[in-house]
Amino acid sequence: MSVVVDNIGLLVTNDRALGEGPLGILRDASIVFDRGVVVSVGPAGQIADETIDASDRCVIPGFVDSHTHLVFAGDRSDEFAARMAGQPYSAGGIQTSVAATRAASTADLAGLTNGRREEARRAGITTVEIKSGYGLDAANETRCLQVAEQFSNDTTFLGAHVVPAEFGDRTDDYVHHVCTDMLAAAAPHSRWIDAFCEVGAFDADQCRAVLAAGKAAGLGARLHANQLGPGPGVQLAVEMGCASADHCTFLTDADIAALAASDTIATFLPATDFSTRQPYPDARRAIDAGVNVALATNCNPGSSYTTSMSFCIALAVRDLRMTAEEALMAATLGGARALRRSDVGVIAAGKRADLVILDAPSYRHLIYRPGVPLIHSVIEAGVTVVAPSV
Ligand code: NIG
């Protein structure tokens, strides 16, 4: 049965061929979709079997959240409070979540992940990547990925998150374990391999070994890079052909030049910098140099416990010096590119029917009205997954 979303006041398609500017904007528009796929985008008044009246609201592509750690148990609000009182963020807190995740049943992990995925839907996120990384042994990483694949096709094996306590300082032994037994168990449940390239986690050679092993097993590569300080991560991500270098909080001129000359997306995670009291990345400098960028929530229990892409967009405009248009595109088409997906992030014929109706006349209200819930309804693969509240 075909459906038309009619009387759209302002439609962002992200397709220059369909409308004005890089966002491909149409006014007084409608979208027809059938069996989960967009059939046509055009002026208001197109006919279909069923009509959803947008009543002059703004419609945007569903958000594509290309970096999350949704599978975990436990709570680290005490750690967050200590940080707000002046403690620095360090990778060490990850062990707290590892202990809680290992202790949780698979059913409990699935229930917790489902709750977070539903929360993300209510925030307008129609595509989500989900990493492991709180299991840190073959059985627990595999269990976490089996949970993740119930909610996403973009699952990422992050065995190289930190060295688990039982390995002490035997980091190279653990890396070998990640590249062999853990990878063999995790790969059938993963599309991507990732590593945390940072002081206190893994160095460039260790991350290179992990990414190379993952690629040899058929996985795509992505990397946590330059989160807590300058380092080799961004340039390693480019060297390894990663789809995305994530965080990029500290970027040198050489990092920016390497990204600009590559097809690696720089994924900014500004809610992390907010929640860890880090400086914000200079997205303006990167974009002006020709770097392709994405925005993601990095929803996780330690450094960024939010599913609000609207919050990330507001931070990106206020603190990363992106325009509203750049931020919206980064949270939609940018995320799709970071996941090397061509079926989402754009509203055009042949693409998945993923759309968000905003309770606002313009996407600019996402920044102009920070903290206000502006998601009116969400359609994912042609199905209304978030209905307007009455
Ligand atoms: O992307 N940086 C490493 N991993 C997560 C944080 C994980 C945690 O603190 O639990 C991140 O920020």
Side-chain angles (χ1 to χ4, degrees):
M1 194 168 80
S2 60
V3 179
V4 60
V5 180
D6 203 0
N7 299 321
I8 300 171
L10 188 145
L11 171 62
V12 174
T13 66
N14 279 346
D15 185 341
R16 281 174 175 278
L18 292 178
E20 186 190 306
L23 293 182
I25 288 179
L26 292 168
R27 291 180 176 77
D28 301 318
S30 65
I31 305 161
V32 178
F33 54 85
D34 196 356
R35 276 161 288 183
V37 175
V38 175
V39 175
S40 72
V41 176
Q46 294 187 89
I47 304 296
D49 299 326
E50 186 189 317
T51 300
I52 296 172
D53 188 350
S55 301
D56 269 340
R57 293 182 175 87
C58 176
V59 172
I60 61 174
F63 295 130
V64 179
D65 193 353
S66 59
H67 185 133
T68 82
H69 307 246
L70 294 189
V71 188
F72 64 86
D75 180 277
R76 285 161 61 191
S77 53
D78 290 350
E79 179 191 316
F80 178 78
R83 204 154 60 233
M84 292 303 107
Q87 292 280 320
Y89 173 78
S90 84
I94 293 169
Q95 305 286 1
T96 310
S97 298
V98 172
T101 302
R102 286 179 175 178
S105 70
T106 304
D108 283 351
L109 284 175
L112 290 164
T113 305
N114 182 52
R116 294 173 192 129
R117 180 64 192 97
E118 286 304 314
E119 183 183 286
R121 271 198 181 97
R122 293 193 293 277
I125 292 167
T126 49
T127 300
V128 66
E129 177 266 11
I130 306 179
K131 299 175 199 303
S132 65
Y134 295 114
L136 303 190
D137 61 33
N140 281 296
E141 283 292 296
T142 305
R143 211 159 64 89
C144 291
L145 286 160
Q146 285 170 326
V147 169
E149 67 187 348
Q150 295 172 33
F151 302 96
S152 174
N153 294 326
D154 282 292
T155 55
T156 302
F157 171 45
L158 181 59
H161 200 183
V162 289
V163 180
E166 63 271 21
F167 274 77
D169 59 4
R170 292 182 299 118
T171 306
D172 285 333
D173 289 350
Y174 181 63
V175 168
H176 178 73
H177 186 46
V178 169
C179 295
T180 53
D181 298 351
M182 286 173 70
L183 177 61
H189 309 287
S190 310
R191 177 169 181 228
W192 300 100
I193 181 111
D194 195 348
F196 185 12
C197 189
E198 198 71 55
V199 174
F202 300 93
D203 67 21
D205 287 342
Q206 291 158 345
C207 291
R208 187 182 287 106
V210 169
L211 297 184
K215 286 171 73 171
L219 307 184
R222 40 206 322 110
L223 190 65
H224 285 65
N226 300 39
Q227 174 184 358
L228 303 176
V234 165
Q235 292 184 53
L236 176 65
V238 171
E239 173 198 320
M240 296 302 289
C242 288
S244 179
D246 295 46
H247 286 283
C248 294
T249 301
F250 295 87
L251 290 175
T252 63
D253 288 347
D255 294 332
I256 288 180
L259 285 166
S262 76
D263 61 1
T264 299
I265 304 292
T267 300
F268 298 119
L269 310 170
T272 314
D273 308 306
F274 173 91
S275 299
T276 56
R277 285 201 197 278
Q278 291 268 112
Y280 290 101
D282 190 348
R284 180 77 275 130
R285 193 161 61 101
I287 292 169
D288 289 346
V291 174
N292 288 310
V293 304
L295 280 174
T297 67
N298 189 22
C299 182
N300 77 76
S303 68
S304 181
Y305 197 5
T306 183
T307 50
S308 177
M309 191 68 91
S310 302
F311 176 56
C312 298
I313 289 172
L315 288 176
V317 173
R318 185 188 181 279
D319 293 311
L320 278 65
R321 302 195 296 134
M322 291 167 73
T323 66
E325 290 69 29
E326 288 165 344
L328 179 60
M329 184 168 278
T332 51
L333 186 55
R337 288 177 174 148
L339 294 174
R340 302 227 162 128
R341 297 269 302 260
S342 58
D343 57 330
V344 295
V346 175
I347 299 175
K351 304 294 181 186
R352 203 168 80 176
D354 287 354
L355 13 143
V356 175
I357 302 179
L358 295 177
D359 228 338
S362 165
Y363 56 87
R364 288 188 176 149
H365 281 229
L366 294 171
I367 307 109
Y368 174 48
R369 308 198 65 215
V372 177
L374 293 179
I375 308 299
H376 171 273
S377 46
V378 180
I379 295 169
E380 187 177 312
V383 175
T384 298
V385 291
V386 178
S389 50
V390 278

